[in-house]
Short mmCIF file of all heavy atoms in Angstrom, two decimals:
data_model
loop_
_atom_site.label_atom_id
_atom_site.label_comp_id
_atom_site.label_asym_id
_atom_site.label_seq_id
_atom_site.Cartn_x
_atom_site.Cartn_y
_atom_site.Cartn_z
N MET K 22 79.24 -16.87 141.66
CA MET K 22 78.65 -18.14 142.16
C MET K 22 77.69 -18.62 141.10
O MET K 22 76.95 -17.97 140.50
CB MET K 22 77.87 -17.81 143.46
CG MET K 22 77.39 -19.08 144.16
SD MET K 22 76.58 -18.92 145.80
CE MET K 22 76.75 -17.31 146.37
N SER K 23 77.80 -19.99 140.88
CA SER K 23 77.04 -20.61 139.77
C SER K 23 75.55 -20.70 140.24
O SER K 23 75.24 -20.70 141.40
CB SER K 23 77.61 -21.93 139.44
OG SER K 23 77.38 -22.87 140.50
N LYS K 24 74.73 -20.80 139.24
CA LYS K 24 73.31 -20.90 139.53
C LYS K 24 72.95 -22.16 140.32
O LYS K 24 72.13 -22.16 141.16
CB LYS K 24 72.47 -20.88 138.23
CG LYS K 24 72.07 -19.51 137.77
CD LYS K 24 71.11 -19.67 136.56
CE LYS K 24 70.44 -18.38 136.27
NZ LYS K 24 69.56 -18.44 135.11
N GLY K 25 73.56 -23.29 139.96
CA GLY K 25 73.35 -24.46 140.60
C GLY K 25 73.65 -24.44 142.15
O GLY K 25 72.94 -24.91 142.96
N LEU K 26 74.77 -23.94 142.50
CA LEU K 26 75.19 -23.85 143.87
C LEU K 26 74.23 -22.87 144.60
O LEU K 26 73.77 -23.18 145.69
CB LEU K 26 76.64 -23.27 143.99
CG LEU K 26 77.15 -23.08 145.36
CD1 LEU K 26 77.18 -24.45 146.11
CD2 LEU K 26 78.56 -22.51 145.34
N PHE K 27 73.81 -21.74 144.02
CA PHE K 27 72.88 -20.83 144.60
C PHE K 27 71.53 -21.52 144.87
O PHE K 27 70.95 -21.40 145.95
CB PHE K 27 72.69 -19.59 143.71
CG PHE K 27 71.73 -18.58 144.35
CD1 PHE K 27 72.07 -17.84 145.37
CD2 PHE K 27 70.50 -18.47 143.82
CE1 PHE K 27 71.29 -16.96 145.90
CE2 PHE K 27 69.57 -17.57 144.29
CZ PHE K 27 69.99 -16.77 145.37
N PHE K 28 71.07 -22.32 143.91
CA PHE K 28 69.82 -23.03 144.11
C PHE K 28 69.87 -24.05 145.20
O PHE K 28 68.92 -24.17 146.02
CB PHE K 28 69.44 -23.79 142.76
CG PHE K 28 68.20 -24.56 142.84
CD1 PHE K 28 66.93 -23.92 142.86
CD2 PHE K 28 68.23 -25.96 142.92
CE1 PHE K 28 65.81 -24.63 142.98
CE2 PHE K 28 67.06 -26.68 143.02
CZ PHE K 28 65.81 -26.01 143.06
N ILE K 29 71.01 -24.75 145.34
CA ILE K 29 71.17 -25.70 146.41
C ILE K 29 71.21 -24.97 147.80
O ILE K 29 70.50 -25.49 148.71
CB ILE K 29 72.44 -26.56 146.21
CG1 ILE K 29 72.21 -27.50 144.97
CG2 ILE K 29 72.79 -27.41 147.37
CD1 ILE K 29 73.49 -28.21 144.49
N LEU K 30 71.88 -23.93 147.83
CA LEU K 30 71.92 -23.15 149.14
C LEU K 30 70.53 -22.63 149.53
O LEU K 30 70.21 -22.68 150.70
CB LEU K 30 72.97 -22.05 148.99
CG LEU K 30 74.38 -22.46 148.99
CD1 LEU K 30 75.29 -21.23 148.77
CD2 LEU K 30 74.85 -23.26 150.15
N VAL K 31 69.77 -22.16 148.48
CA VAL K 31 68.39 -21.72 148.81
C VAL K 31 67.60 -22.82 149.29
O VAL K 31 66.80 -22.72 150.25
CB VAL K 31 67.88 -20.98 147.58
CG1 VAL K 31 66.35 -20.76 147.74
CG2 VAL K 31 68.57 -19.69 147.31
N MET K 32 67.67 -24.00 148.63
CA MET K 32 66.87 -25.08 148.97
C MET K 32 67.21 -25.57 150.49
O MET K 32 66.34 -25.98 151.23
CB MET K 32 67.05 -26.30 148.03
CG MET K 32 66.40 -26.06 146.74
SD MET K 32 64.69 -25.73 146.83
CE MET K 32 64.04 -27.29 147.50
N ILE K 33 68.48 -25.62 150.80
CA ILE K 33 68.93 -26.01 152.15
C ILE K 33 68.32 -24.98 153.17
O ILE K 33 67.79 -25.46 154.23
CB ILE K 33 70.42 -26.09 152.28
CG1 ILE K 33 70.90 -27.30 151.49
CG2 ILE K 33 70.92 -26.20 153.66
CD1 ILE K 33 72.43 -27.30 151.28
N ALA K 34 68.37 -23.70 152.90
CA ALA K 34 67.84 -22.72 153.78
C ALA K 34 66.33 -22.86 153.96
O ALA K 34 65.83 -22.78 155.10
CB ALA K 34 68.16 -21.32 153.23
N VAL K 35 65.60 -23.20 152.86
CA VAL K 35 64.20 -23.37 152.92
C VAL K 35 63.84 -24.62 153.81
O VAL K 35 62.95 -24.54 154.68
CB VAL K 35 63.59 -23.47 151.55
CG1 VAL K 35 62.14 -24.05 151.58
CG2 VAL K 35 63.58 -22.17 150.82
N ILE K 36 64.58 -25.66 153.65
CA ILE K 36 64.36 -26.86 154.49
C ILE K 36 64.67 -26.65 155.95
O ILE K 36 63.88 -27.02 156.76
CB ILE K 36 65.25 -28.09 153.91
CG1 ILE K 36 64.66 -28.46 152.53
CG2 ILE K 36 65.24 -29.25 154.84
CD1 ILE K 36 65.63 -29.44 151.83
N ILE K 37 65.75 -25.91 156.21
CA ILE K 37 66.00 -25.59 157.58
C ILE K 37 64.93 -24.73 158.26
O ILE K 37 64.48 -24.98 159.38
CB ILE K 37 67.45 -24.88 157.67
CG1 ILE K 37 68.51 -25.97 157.39
CG2 ILE K 37 67.67 -24.32 159.14
CD1 ILE K 37 69.90 -25.37 157.30
N ILE K 38 64.49 -23.68 157.53
CA ILE K 38 63.43 -22.80 158.02
C ILE K 38 62.12 -23.59 158.18
O ILE K 38 61.50 -23.40 159.24
CB ILE K 38 63.24 -21.58 157.09
CG1 ILE K 38 64.46 -20.68 157.11
CG2 ILE K 38 61.95 -20.81 157.41
CD1 ILE K 38 64.43 -19.64 156.09
N TYR K 39 61.82 -24.43 157.35
CA TYR K 39 60.61 -25.31 157.39
C TYR K 39 60.72 -26.18 158.64
O TYR K 39 59.69 -26.29 159.39
CB TYR K 39 60.38 -26.09 156.14
CG TYR K 39 59.21 -27.08 156.22
CD1 TYR K 39 57.93 -26.67 156.05
CD2 TYR K 39 59.41 -28.43 156.45
CE1 TYR K 39 56.88 -27.48 156.13
CE2 TYR K 39 58.41 -29.32 156.51
CZ TYR K 39 57.11 -28.84 156.35
OH TYR K 39 56.04 -29.70 156.45
N THR K 40 61.81 -26.81 158.88
CA THR K 40 62.00 -27.72 160.02
C THR K 40 61.84 -26.96 161.33
O THR K 40 61.19 -27.41 162.25
CB THR K 40 63.41 -28.43 159.92
OG1 THR K 40 63.48 -29.12 158.65
CG2 THR K 40 63.54 -29.43 161.04
N ILE K 41 62.48 -25.81 161.39
CA ILE K 41 62.40 -24.97 162.68
C ILE K 41 60.93 -24.57 162.88
O ILE K 41 60.43 -24.57 164.01
CB ILE K 41 63.37 -23.76 162.55
CG1 ILE K 41 64.82 -24.25 162.57
CG2 ILE K 41 63.04 -22.75 163.68
CD1 ILE K 41 65.79 -23.17 162.38
N ALA K 42 60.27 -24.14 161.88
CA ALA K 42 58.81 -23.75 162.00
C ALA K 42 57.95 -24.91 162.45
O ALA K 42 57.09 -24.75 163.29
CB ALA K 42 58.26 -23.23 160.69
N LYS K 43 58.20 -26.13 161.92
CA LYS K 43 57.53 -27.34 162.35
C LYS K 43 57.72 -27.60 163.84
O LYS K 43 56.83 -27.98 164.60
CB LYS K 43 57.84 -28.56 161.51
CG LYS K 43 57.06 -28.56 160.24
CD LYS K 43 55.59 -28.66 160.62
CE LYS K 43 54.82 -29.31 159.44
NZ LYS K 43 53.39 -29.29 159.68
N VAL K 44 59.01 -27.57 164.31
CA VAL K 44 59.37 -27.87 165.66
C VAL K 44 58.68 -26.85 166.59
O VAL K 44 58.05 -27.23 167.64
CB VAL K 44 60.89 -27.83 165.90
CG1 VAL K 44 61.24 -27.80 167.33
CG2 VAL K 44 61.53 -28.97 165.14
N ILE K 45 58.67 -25.59 166.25
CA ILE K 45 58.01 -24.61 167.08
C ILE K 45 56.50 -24.85 167.10
O ILE K 45 55.84 -24.74 168.14
CB ILE K 45 58.29 -23.15 166.56
CG1 ILE K 45 59.76 -22.87 166.76
CG2 ILE K 45 57.39 -22.10 167.17
CD1 ILE K 45 60.26 -21.53 166.11
N SER K 46 55.91 -25.21 165.98
CA SER K 46 54.46 -25.49 165.87
C SER K 46 54.10 -26.69 166.77
O SER K 46 53.19 -26.64 167.56
CB SER K 46 54.08 -25.79 164.44
OG SER K 46 52.74 -26.24 164.37
N TYR K 47 54.89 -27.79 166.70
CA TYR K 47 54.63 -28.92 167.52
C TYR K 47 54.86 -28.64 169.04
O TYR K 47 54.13 -29.14 169.80
CB TYR K 47 55.49 -30.14 167.09
CG TYR K 47 55.03 -30.75 165.79
CD1 TYR K 47 55.91 -31.09 164.80
CD2 TYR K 47 53.69 -31.02 165.52
CE1 TYR K 47 55.61 -31.66 163.64
CE2 TYR K 47 53.29 -31.61 164.32
CZ TYR K 47 54.23 -31.92 163.36
OH TYR K 47 53.88 -32.51 162.20
N ASN K 48 55.80 -27.80 169.33
CA ASN K 48 56.05 -27.36 170.69
C ASN K 48 54.85 -26.62 171.32
O ASN K 48 54.34 -26.86 172.38
CB ASN K 48 57.32 -26.54 170.85
CG ASN K 48 57.61 -26.29 172.23
OD1 ASN K 48 57.43 -27.17 173.12
ND2 ASN K 48 58.17 -25.07 172.51
N ARG K 49 54.26 -25.69 170.47
CA ARG K 49 53.07 -25.00 170.90
C ARG K 49 51.94 -25.82 171.15
O ARG K 49 51.15 -25.73 172.01
CB ARG K 49 52.77 -23.91 169.89
CG ARG K 49 53.73 -22.68 169.98
CD ARG K 49 53.39 -21.66 168.97
NE ARG K 49 54.37 -20.60 168.95
CZ ARG K 49 54.47 -19.62 168.05
NH1 ARG K 49 53.64 -19.67 167.12
NH2 ARG K 49 55.41 -18.71 168.20
N LEU K 50 51.71 -26.76 170.14
CA LEU K 50 50.59 -27.75 170.27
C LEU K 50 50.79 -28.62 171.53
O LEU K 50 49.81 -28.86 172.20
CB LEU K 50 50.59 -28.66 168.97
CG LEU K 50 49.50 -29.72 168.96
CD1 LEU K 50 48.14 -29.15 169.06
CD2 LEU K 50 49.70 -30.60 167.72
N SER K 51 51.97 -29.05 171.80
CA SER K 51 52.23 -29.90 173.00
C SER K 51 51.96 -29.12 174.21
O SER K 51 51.26 -29.72 175.16
CB SER K 51 53.67 -30.35 172.98
OG SER K 51 54.02 -30.98 174.18
N GLU K 52 52.32 -27.80 174.33
CA GLU K 52 52.09 -27.07 175.44
C GLU K 52 50.51 -26.88 175.68
O GLU K 52 49.99 -26.92 176.74
CB GLU K 52 52.70 -25.68 175.34
CG GLU K 52 54.19 -25.82 175.56
CD GLU K 52 54.92 -24.43 175.45
OE1 GLU K 52 54.23 -23.36 175.20
OE2 GLU K 52 56.09 -24.41 175.51
N GLN K 53 49.83 -26.61 174.53
CA GLN K 53 48.34 -26.46 174.55
C GLN K 53 47.67 -27.75 175.11
O GLN K 53 46.80 -27.73 175.88
CB GLN K 53 47.84 -26.11 173.20
CG GLN K 53 46.34 -25.86 173.15
CD GLN K 53 45.88 -25.63 171.76
OE1 GLN K 53 46.52 -26.00 170.81
NE2 GLN K 53 44.75 -24.92 171.59
N GLN K 54 48.11 -28.90 174.54
CA GLN K 54 47.61 -30.17 175.02
C GLN K 54 47.87 -30.44 176.46
O GLN K 54 47.02 -31.04 177.23
CB GLN K 54 48.08 -31.31 174.15
CG GLN K 54 47.45 -31.27 172.74
CD GLN K 54 48.13 -32.38 171.82
OE1 GLN K 54 49.18 -32.92 172.09
NE2 GLN K 54 47.48 -32.60 170.80
N TRP K 55 49.07 -30.06 176.86
CA TRP K 55 49.38 -30.34 178.32
C TRP K 55 48.50 -29.54 179.24
O TRP K 55 48.18 -29.97 180.35
CB TRP K 55 50.90 -29.97 178.59
CG TRP K 55 51.36 -30.18 179.98
CD1 TRP K 55 51.67 -29.19 180.84
CD2 TRP K 55 51.37 -31.37 180.76
NE1 TRP K 55 52.02 -29.72 182.02
CE2 TRP K 55 51.83 -31.01 181.99
CE3 TRP K 55 51.08 -32.67 180.38
CZ2 TRP K 55 52.03 -32.03 183.00
CZ3 TRP K 55 51.27 -33.65 181.46
CH2 TRP K 55 51.72 -33.32 182.71
N LYS K 56 48.12 -28.26 178.88
CA LYS K 56 47.25 -27.45 179.61
C LYS K 56 45.85 -28.05 179.77
O LYS K 56 45.14 -27.80 180.71
CB LYS K 56 47.16 -26.05 179.03
CG LYS K 56 48.42 -25.23 179.21
CD LYS K 56 48.30 -23.81 178.58
CE LYS K 56 49.62 -23.17 178.65
NZ LYS K 56 49.62 -21.83 178.03
N GLN K 57 45.44 -28.88 178.81
CA GLN K 57 44.16 -29.46 178.83
C GLN K 57 44.07 -30.77 179.47
O GLN K 57 42.99 -31.30 179.70
CB GLN K 57 43.65 -29.64 177.33
CG GLN K 57 43.49 -28.43 176.57
CD GLN K 57 43.17 -28.66 175.04
OE1 GLN K 57 43.24 -29.80 174.65
NE2 GLN K 57 42.86 -27.57 174.36
N VAL K 58 45.22 -31.31 179.95
CA VAL K 58 45.27 -32.62 180.62
C VAL K 58 44.66 -32.54 181.98
O VAL K 58 44.88 -31.51 182.70
CB VAL K 58 46.67 -33.12 180.65
CG1 VAL K 58 46.78 -34.32 181.60
CG2 VAL K 58 47.28 -33.45 179.31
N ASP K 59 43.92 -33.46 182.40
CA ASP K 59 43.38 -33.52 183.74
C ASP K 59 44.54 -34.10 184.65
O ASP K 59 44.75 -35.23 184.80
CB ASP K 59 42.21 -34.47 183.81
CG ASP K 59 41.55 -34.54 185.16
OD1 ASP K 59 41.96 -33.72 186.06
OD2 ASP K 59 40.65 -35.34 185.44
N LYS K 60 45.29 -33.17 185.27
CA LYS K 60 46.42 -33.49 186.04
C LYS K 60 46.13 -34.25 187.28
O LYS K 60 47.00 -34.81 187.89
CB LYS K 60 47.25 -32.26 186.31
CG LYS K 60 47.84 -31.65 184.97
CD LYS K 60 48.59 -30.39 185.25
CE LYS K 60 49.12 -29.83 183.92
NZ LYS K 60 48.18 -29.37 182.98
N SER K 61 44.78 -34.26 187.76
CA SER K 61 44.49 -34.94 188.97
C SER K 61 44.58 -36.47 188.80
O SER K 61 44.69 -37.20 189.75
CB SER K 61 43.09 -34.57 189.37
OG SER K 61 42.10 -35.06 188.41
N LYS K 62 44.65 -36.89 187.47
CA LYS K 62 44.69 -38.42 187.28
C LYS K 62 46.12 -38.82 187.00
O LYS K 62 46.38 -40.09 186.74
CB LYS K 62 43.79 -38.76 186.09
CG LYS K 62 42.33 -38.49 186.42
CD LYS K 62 41.44 -38.90 185.25
CE LYS K 62 40.03 -38.57 185.68
NZ LYS K 62 39.06 -39.04 184.74
N LEU K 63 47.08 -38.01 187.05
CA LEU K 63 48.40 -38.31 186.83
C LEU K 63 48.98 -39.05 188.07
O LEU K 63 48.69 -38.67 189.21
CB LEU K 63 49.30 -37.12 186.53
CG LEU K 63 49.02 -36.38 185.24
CD1 LEU K 63 49.89 -35.14 185.13
CD2 LEU K 63 49.23 -37.36 184.07
N LYS K 64 49.84 -40.05 187.89
CA LYS K 64 50.36 -40.77 188.95
C LYS K 64 51.58 -40.16 189.54
O LYS K 64 52.44 -39.72 188.70
CB LYS K 64 50.63 -42.24 188.47
CG LYS K 64 51.20 -43.16 189.65
CD LYS K 64 51.47 -44.53 189.15
CE LYS K 64 52.01 -45.32 190.25
NZ LYS K 64 52.25 -46.72 189.98
N GLU K 65 51.72 -40.10 190.80
CA GLU K 65 52.98 -39.68 191.42
C GLU K 65 53.93 -40.84 191.46
O GLU K 65 53.72 -41.81 191.96
CB GLU K 65 52.69 -39.14 192.89
CG GLU K 65 51.84 -37.94 192.94
CD GLU K 65 52.65 -36.59 192.62
OE1 GLU K 65 53.85 -36.71 192.92
OE2 GLU K 65 52.07 -35.65 192.16
N TRP K 66 55.15 -40.60 190.86
CA TRP K 66 56.16 -41.62 190.87
C TRP K 66 57.15 -41.43 192.03
O TRP K 66 57.56 -40.34 192.22
CB TRP K 66 56.93 -41.64 189.55
CG TRP K 66 56.06 -42.06 188.38
CD1 TRP K 66 55.44 -41.16 187.49
CD2 TRP K 66 55.73 -43.36 187.99
NE1 TRP K 66 54.71 -41.95 186.63
CE2 TRP K 66 54.92 -43.25 186.88
CE3 TRP K 66 56.02 -44.60 188.52
CZ2 TRP K 66 54.40 -44.39 186.25
CZ3 TRP K 66 55.55 -45.76 187.86
CH2 TRP K 66 54.69 -45.63 186.76
N ASP K 67 57.42 -42.57 192.73
CA ASP K 67 58.30 -42.48 193.82
C ASP K 67 59.67 -42.99 193.29
O ASP K 67 59.79 -44.17 192.95
CB ASP K 67 57.81 -43.38 194.98
CG ASP K 67 58.69 -43.25 196.19
OD1 ASP K 67 59.53 -42.34 196.28
OD2 ASP K 67 58.53 -44.13 197.13
N ASP K 68 60.69 -42.15 193.21
CA ASP K 68 61.94 -42.57 192.64
C ASP K 68 62.75 -43.48 193.56
O ASP K 68 63.68 -44.14 193.17
CB ASP K 68 62.74 -41.29 192.32
CG ASP K 68 62.22 -40.57 191.09
OD1 ASP K 68 61.51 -41.20 190.35
OD2 ASP K 68 62.47 -39.36 191.04
N ASP K 69 62.34 -43.54 194.83
CA ASP K 69 63.07 -44.38 195.82
C ASP K 69 63.03 -45.81 195.58
O ASP K 69 63.83 -46.55 195.89
CB ASP K 69 62.71 -44.05 197.22
CG ASP K 69 63.07 -42.56 197.64
OD1 ASP K 69 64.01 -42.05 197.03
OD2 ASP K 69 62.43 -42.06 198.58
N GLU K 70 61.89 -46.26 194.95
CA GLU K 70 61.78 -47.67 194.68
C GLU K 70 62.69 -48.31 193.69
O GLU K 70 62.89 -49.48 193.58
CB GLU K 70 60.31 -47.99 194.31
CG GLU K 70 59.96 -47.50 192.96
CD GLU K 70 58.49 -47.61 192.61
OE1 GLU K 70 57.64 -47.25 193.43
OE2 GLU K 70 58.25 -48.06 191.48
N TRP K 71 63.39 -47.45 192.96
CA TRP K 71 64.29 -47.92 191.98
C TRP K 71 65.73 -48.04 192.52
O TRP K 71 66.60 -48.64 191.87
CB TRP K 71 64.40 -47.05 190.73
CG TRP K 71 63.05 -47.03 190.03
CD1 TRP K 71 62.08 -46.05 190.04
CD2 TRP K 71 62.56 -48.02 189.13
NE1 TRP K 71 61.09 -46.37 189.28
CE2 TRP K 71 61.26 -47.57 188.73
CE3 TRP K 71 63.00 -49.26 188.73
CZ2 TRP K 71 60.48 -48.40 187.89
CZ3 TRP K 71 62.24 -49.99 187.83
CH2 TRP K 71 60.98 -49.53 187.43
N GLU K 72 65.99 -47.57 193.70
CA GLU K 72 67.30 -47.59 194.27
C GLU K 72 67.50 -48.84 195.09
O GLU K 72 66.72 -49.51 195.60
CB GLU K 72 67.54 -46.38 195.11
CG GLU K 72 67.54 -45.11 194.28
CD GLU K 72 67.72 -43.87 195.12
OE1 GLU K 72 67.85 -43.94 196.34
OE2 GLU K 72 67.72 -42.78 194.50
#
């Protein structure tokens, strides 16, 4: 396998791993923020009004 192809495959793997790590990080942050929300102020939506 040529050096150029190997380098490209390594770069693609690094980008994929970085993207997955960011998604997991943002998911954890989102869950943490959701736990801090004052849920008593959330509005209850009635789905029947759209029918």
Side-chain angles (χ1 to χ4, degrees):
M22 187 174 353
S23 69
K24 270 189 168 180
L26 180 60
F27 181 73
F28 178 73
I29 290 173
L30 291 176
V31 168
M32 288 303 296
I33 291 172
V35 167
I36 291 169
I37 290 172
I38 292 170
Y39 175 78
T40 303
I41 291 171
K43 275 299 203 185
V44 168
I45 292 171
S46 171
Y47 286 136
N48 186 36
R49 288 180 181 166
L50 178 62
S51 174
E52 288 177 4
Q53 180 184 24
Q54 289 175 340
W55 178 246
K56 288 178 184 177
Q57 295 174 355
V58 169
D59 184 6
K60 293 178 181 67
S61 66
K62 295 185 180 184
L63 295 176
K64 181 177 178 180
E65 292 280 334
W66 292 98
D67 186 13
D68 290 336
D69 293 337
E70 67 187 46
W71 296 102
E72 295 177 2

